[in-house]
Amino acid sequence: MAPPTNLAASTTPTPTAFRPSRSGSNEEQLHGVRDGLFPSSKAGKDARSLSNASMFGARGASLANSMAPPGSFSSNLKSTNGPRHVGSRPELATFPSREDTPSDEAGTTEKRQAEFRDAINKEMKIKTGSENLLEALLSKSSKQSKDQRIKVENELNSSSRKIVELKSQLEDEIERSRRPTTPNQNRLSQLFRGSPLRPPSRVDSTTDLEHFDPDADTESPTFVLAEILQALEVEGMQPDYYVSRANGLVDLFKRHPTLKYDLAWSIFGLRVQTMLLSDSREVVAAGYRVTRHAIADRQSLQTVRNLHTDSLVILSLVKESKATIEREQALKFIRAFLDVKDGVCELSKGVVRTVVSVAEHHEDRLRNIAILTLTEILLKDPALISAAGGFAPLTDALGDGSYPASESVVSAFLYLTDYPQSRKLLSTGRELEAAFAPLTDPLTVNGHDERLKVNARSVASILNSWPGLFILAKDGFSTLRSLLLSLFHPSQLARDLVLDLLFDVLHIKPPSWTSSFLAGRRLTTYGRVANLKADPVDHQSSIENEDDASRVNLIDQYTALVLAVLVHCGLIRALQDLIEEALDPSLKRKSTLLLGEVLKLADCSLPSAMSSILQPLPTLMIAPFQDDCFEDDEAIQSNMIYQIDRVNRTLHKTGATARTVFHHPNGRPDSIGTSKPHDSGKAKLSADMDEIQFRSLLIETQVVSSANYLKWKWDLILDIIEGPLLNPKRLEEAIKGTKFMKRLIGFYRPFKYRFCEARNTKPNQRYARIGCALIKSLLQTPEGVQHLAESKLFRQVAECIAQIDRTSGLTSNSPMFSPERVSETMTGSYFNLLGALSSDPQGLVLLFRWRVINMFYHIMDLEDRGDLVRILLTSMDYTIDSHLRVMLSKALTSCPKAIRICATNLLRKYATRELPANGHTAGSDVAYWAIRLLVTQLYDPDVEVSEVAVQVLQEACNRKQYLEYVVKCRPALDHLGEIGAPLLLRFLSTSLGYRYLDGLDYITQEMDDWFLGRNEKYVTIVEASLSRALSHESERPKSMIDEPLQRQQLGLVPPHFYRELTRTKEGCQLLKGSGHFEAFASTIQDFWSEDEDAETILKVKACLWAVGNVGSMELGAPFLEDTNVVDWIIRIAKQSEVMTMRGTAYFVLGLISRSIRGMEILAEHGWDAATDQNGLSLGYCLPPTLESLFSLHTATTDRQVLPMRNMLKDMPPPRDEDDPVEARVISLVIDLGNTVLTKRAIGELHSIKIKRPELFKSTALFHRIMYIFECHNFRLPVMRFVIDMFEKDVMRQIVLEEGSDDDDEAESQPMTAKPPLTAKPFMRSPK
């Protein structure tokens, strides 16, 4: 017989020969996949017998719906539930959900959290769209858009309210998931009420749920097990009877997990075998479920396999789709092997080949689950998948896009292609390229838009990994070149998806005005794009003469390499041609936007030698001057240049750049009360303008002529506030000479119900910003302060605050600061106005005058108004030493955890503020005050608060002066463990911190710890962070409070001990004396070519990161020259057979290029580093040619062959010479794998069965057929056809070891007897 690998390709029957019946197909669409088992009203023809009696089911019984038992699959795969009649059977499992294991509860709560987050994201999109629409409506006439504006405001209000409710529910769910799930004392008594685990008399006595049964708590689980096994011994009962007992047995295993270790398999196994041989599909499914929950370890798996479950599982999986319950439980039974340590080694190749057949059958309802199972087996035992022919269905799943979780298949293939030993198992090595096929030829999936989107996600996952990038580099990046050529395919959706894919893999965040630009609106007018505030991005703060360690972003470095590869493949030219040839205006604009972003990204991430060639767009600039250029072509190219220039100008005005997302992820916008809208495109009005010009401006604002604030020109009002009103004369004229100031101040008065009744929308936020600017402007002059003191504005605001102060004596049925008004209207912005007052000493006097500070203290004590406390804390200005600082200190120590985290985050703005130019002034004193509070927060009883304080202090330590002050505070961080370790590492940055830690004997202990094991842990942390950052959907943090903090760390290089140690001369001397660097270099030199031992590879990676972190510092660069280690790192980057090892070497070379001497060493080897305008390295470097980096030399060897894991212990020897008809049957079965011979083989097999029916009652022939199924791949209908030809009693004889295998006996005496089910000898006596 030919090897399996050769015959697997030819064993494909004709698809028309075994087409499922129409009834089966219709039923497939109706019935779904579920874990609870509902008995059907009639048994199938292919069922097996449990007893001689009839087994038609009665109502009222089913298996319990388990949450996530062993072998269960993800619920997000596509599955449909079957129809349930009006009188559908209730679940017999009456136990509450508390019976679920902790892992089940964790899976359920994670699912609910994911649902809440999805709902929040949906409402946020609705809110953003409503705000944009409302902003557009404000620019129209008020009469025409009034009704539309009201509708949009109502929708916006509804979305805001839903977001608040969903966030509250999410926080409650997170808190609930963290609570310990300790069962109560009466747990067993509640679980046994109404349970089928006890005799009928006991069940009848506990029908009342309120009745307490004292025997339930004292009942022995072994006694209950014996009762159930005894109940299963009874023969002739309805299927519901056996299903309910099986449900009870599963519940017993859940409540007593250790019970499965003491099972008497001689008795338990017989009961299982009896259920698996039943005629009822529900009973067979119950048997699989019970067996699955009884699995404890690998030994129990071996015991289960001795029950002939391999053949039984194959028989169940090949059944028609109407046996959904049985097939599903059989597949879950297979998946249970994967949950046991080394359980995959017990999976026979025949069973895996059957799962492969299910996965290849596109119409099968269990196809997605089968693909998921094959993917998990591929990760645990790739050789088994290779031997069973499992690569073909996985590759097909990637190619057709029908598998929704294609990223998991991609991850499995990427894991397999990383190491050379596992790469040899792949048949072609191009399995991942199947995901590109629908994008390069969209007609193959025409009409299936979702499939194209699935393939786009798969391609993104491939491009965002080192193994994927190396696989695509074959044949001169031919796959990527074909992907770029697909931009010219006539399919509009395919081109849009490819453009979106390029945005994604290059990590380009489209600016906020993208939708407007793609819709064809002018960037200079719509939505005031030219005046948009820049996205909040903190300016880079640096330690003196040093870079911040957390600023090393691996995502930027990887994106630079991907961009270089795409440019090498012709990305710029493809986008230019698309802009010239595209007929769709939206597609043309999207291409223009992407081209502009790519050029900007190339300018700031690629070496100047490569970037300088791209920036002029030579093909566009030269073409118009050629003789053969037509006027139309010249116009198109000129228009393209104009569009790109217009986009770049708009990007410059709005501050949106391609690197906004990555340069400083710690960016945080200021509060409304302390920020001013940025307008770089307009000059401010002069404060010294004359009276006539000032009056004309006041009239132009419409404030003097109209009391309707919707008609006022608020942009002009803001210019006047920031300009002429700073002049005392102009201010006095505005107050006394016109109604301008009176109406403007009156607009903000609470009891005028104008500002406070405005909806809390994004466009209306300008009212709050302008109000804060007005108050700050008035505080600059004595006349303004006097006007504020005489105004009723803050008097009325104080009265409204008193309504919620329980000690004031003022009450109101509808207080101004009720939770509904604060969330839905601009009422909460009054605290921003008070915050503007708190930024000036004169304003603080006004706050004390109206006793607002006293009421602030009382608001802090309101336990039910956390929203108000949060708004109060975030709105105030704490620059001046006043009672507000005392109030903040109270919030940091005595408020709930969420408020303490919020207050700790507020200190970031003050602890990281810019240093004053004149040294120690009030500015640095504010930072010192904030640092002292942050040091106090390190001892908070809640670890989450301490973690936030550590992160803020790390940012403050970016400045040497603040770092030294933190060291002077001498914080104790031992109680924080790993959380406080990064902050202690930052202390090594200065000599003062080094001496402080040296006195604590911290440095030597930490150095030994890193040298002996922490370096390896560092590799795991970096790779996990990089993987999450590059994944299509990054893992969400556990709490929404932690979400911005968690997102900051993704893709960033964590602090490394040796990097911080080499910041000072003392640290370099210690490193030189320890000899650790020489040890790292020696390890790299000795094991650079290792590609098999995982521990050695991990150790080499750890040494690479240590060397790279040391070489990135100017004081650490001399270590590179002394050891000549850069040569070996470059050798790893170009020649290592482990792809992730190459990626690590590339990142390390980028770290080395950050130092001047390191950049010079790389230049000597031909590597070019990207620099900024000042010539400082950006940390990105590229080799002389990309082909040298991506060249992968793999030896061509034969594929590994897996030793046979036979289902059959003793394969019966062939007896062709004794019975030529049997030999012919085996030959015909083999022919069924050939589509050409299928029809003839079917007809001949039917003829043989008619002439020799006793032949298909032979267990020996059945064994040989199963052996053929184990050696070769057959389609599912073929396997079903062959197995259905045998009599049902054959399987019973094999499983129960009954009858005779002798062919002579089979011919003279057919094996048709069915032995009775006498189970009394197998009863288990109660203990």
Side-chain angles (χ1 to χ4, degrees), residues 470-486:
F470 278 99
I471 289 297
L472 299 180
K474 291 183 177 180
D475 300 332
F477 302 96
S478 59
T479 307
L480 285 179
R481 295 181 189 274
S482 64
L483 179 66
L484 294 178
L485 290 176
S486 65

Side-chain angles (χ1 to χ4, degrees), residues 260-557:
K260 65 181 72 173
Y261 294 96
D262 301 325
L263 284 177
W265 280 96
S266 59
I267 302 173
F268 181 80
L270 183 61
R271 301 280 79 78
V272 168
Q273 286 179 320
T274 307
M275 296 182 68
L276 295 179
L277 291 171
S278 171
D279 281 344
S280 171
R281 291 193 291 265
E282 288 74 21
V283 176
V284 177
Y288 285 124
R289 187 165 182 255
V290 169
T291 310
R292 172 161 55 95
H293 283 83
I295 294 174
D297 49 22
R298 185 175 178 181
Q299 184 178 0
S300 63
L301 289 177
Q302 295 172 353
T303 305
V304 169
R305 291 191 63 199
N306 290 333
L307 302 177
H308 302 278
T309 54
D310 289 342
S311 299
L312 290 169
V313 166
I314 292 177
L315 262 64
S316 296
L317 288 178
V318 301
K319 286 188 176 182
E320 296 181 356
S321 296
K322 60 184 178 181
T324 302
I325 298 176
E326 179 181 344
R327 299 178 71 239
E328 176 199 347
Q329 289 299 323
L331 193 53
K332 285 187 176 184
F333 172 74
I334 297 173
R335 291 177 56 80
F337 283 60
L338 305 178
D339 296 332
V340 179
K341 182 180 180 181
D342 297 330
V344 69
C345 299
E346 296 300 326
L347 281 175
S348 68
K349 194 165 65 171
V351 171
V352 178
R353 284 191 187 274
T354 308
V355 178
V356 170
S357 299
V358 176
E360 290 177 340
H361 195 54
H362 289 265
E363 293 79 13
D364 200 296
R365 189 177 309 158
L366 299 181
R367 178 174 181 260
N368 286 342
I369 311 171
I371 293 175
L372 178 62
T373 305
L374 293 177
T375 303
E376 295 184 15
I377 299 175
L378 178 61
L379 291 174
K380 294 178 178 291
D381 193 349
L384 177 58
I385 291 294
S386 177
F391 287 126
L394 294 179
T395 305
D396 292 341
L398 286 180
D400 58 18
S402 58
Y403 182 57
S406 60
E407 292 93 334
S408 61
V409 182
V410 170
S411 300
F413 275 115
L414 292 175
Y415 173 78
L416 201 64
T417 55
D418 190 13
Y419 296 92
Q421 296 300 322
S422 55
R423 280 199 299 268
K424 296 176 182 177
L425 298 173
L426 299 175
S427 57
T428 63
R430 296 181 177 272
E431 284 77 7
L432 287 173
E433 296 180 6
F436 290 79
L439 292 175
T440 55
D441 187 11
L443 294 179
T444 57
V445 289
N446 188 24
H448 298 82
D449 296 346
E450 287 300 324
R451 294 188 179 184
L452 276 177
K453 296 178 182 179
V454 170
N455 282 98
R457 293 199 303 268
S458 301
V459 171
S461 300
I462 296 172
L463 285 171
N464 284 328
S465 67
W466 283 111
L469 206 56
F470 278 99
I471 289 297
L472 299 180
K474 291 183 177 180
D475 300 332
F477 302 96
S478 59
T479 307
L480 285 179
R481 295 181 189 274
S482 64
L483 179 66
L484 294 178
L485 290 176
S486 65
L487 288 173
F488 306 101
H489 199 278
S491 174
Q492 176 70 19
L493 177 63
R495 290 188 290 183
D496 279 338
L497 285 177
V498 173
L499 290 178
D500 292 337
L501 174 65
L502 293 174
F503 273 104
D504 186 16
V505 298
L506 294 176
H507 298 90
I508 297 175
K509 181 182 178 182
S512 58
W513 42 264
T514 300
S515 58
S516 303
F517 173 68
L518 296 180
R521 300 186 181 95
R522 294 181 59 190
L523 296 180
T524 56
T525 58
Y526 179 77
R528 300 181 179 87
V529 173
N531 300 328
L532 281 178
K533 182 182 176 182
D535 292 337
V537 179
D538 285 355
H539 296 288
Q540 287 189 352
S541 57
S542 58
I543 303 176
E544 297 177 7
N545 301 325
E546 296 174 342
D547 293 329
D548 177 18
S550 64
R551 213 58 54 84
V552 181
N553 196 320
L554 300 180
I555 301 299
D556 291 356
Q557 190 174 351

Side-chain angles (χ1 to χ4, degrees), residues 147-209:
D147 295 338
Q148 297 179 358
R149 192 164 57 246
I150 293 175
K151 293 180 180 179
V152 175
E153 288 179 351
N154 292 334
E155 182 67 25
L156 189 59
N157 183 23
S158 175
S159 298
S160 301
R161 184 166 56 253
K162 289 181 181 178
I163 290 172
V164 173
E165 294 175 355
L166 290 171
K167 287 183 178 180
S168 176
Q169 295 175 6
L170 178 59
E171 290 296 335
D172 294 341
E173 183 63 33
I174 293 173
E175 291 296 331
R176 189 182 302 111
S177 64
R178 293 179 179 176
R179 296 172 186 166
T181 56
T182 305
N184 54 16
Q185 184 178 1
N186 296 329
R187 178 186 179 190
L188 287 178
S189 62
Q190 295 187 13
L191 293 180
F192 277 98
R193 292 174 185 171
S195 171
L197 304 184
R198 292 187 296 276
S201 60
R202 194 169 299 172
V203 175
D204 296 338
S205 64
T206 57
T207 52
D208 187 2
L209 292 178

Side-chain angles (χ1 to χ4, degrees), residues 46 264 307 409 421 438 441 512 541 762 774 777 845 878 899 1055 1123:
D46 55 351
L307 302 177
V409 182
Q421 296 300 322
D441 187 11
S512 58
S541 57
K762 185 177 180 180
L774 175 62
S777 179
V845 173
Y878 304 97
I899 302 299
T1123 57

Side-chain angles (χ1 to χ4, degrees), residues 37-39 59-64 84 87-94 247:
L37 305 177
F38 297 89
R59 296 181 181 272
S62 73
L63 287 180
R84 299 182 61 177
S88 60
R89 308 171 182 84
E91 298 261 355
L92 279 189
T94 58
N247 272 342

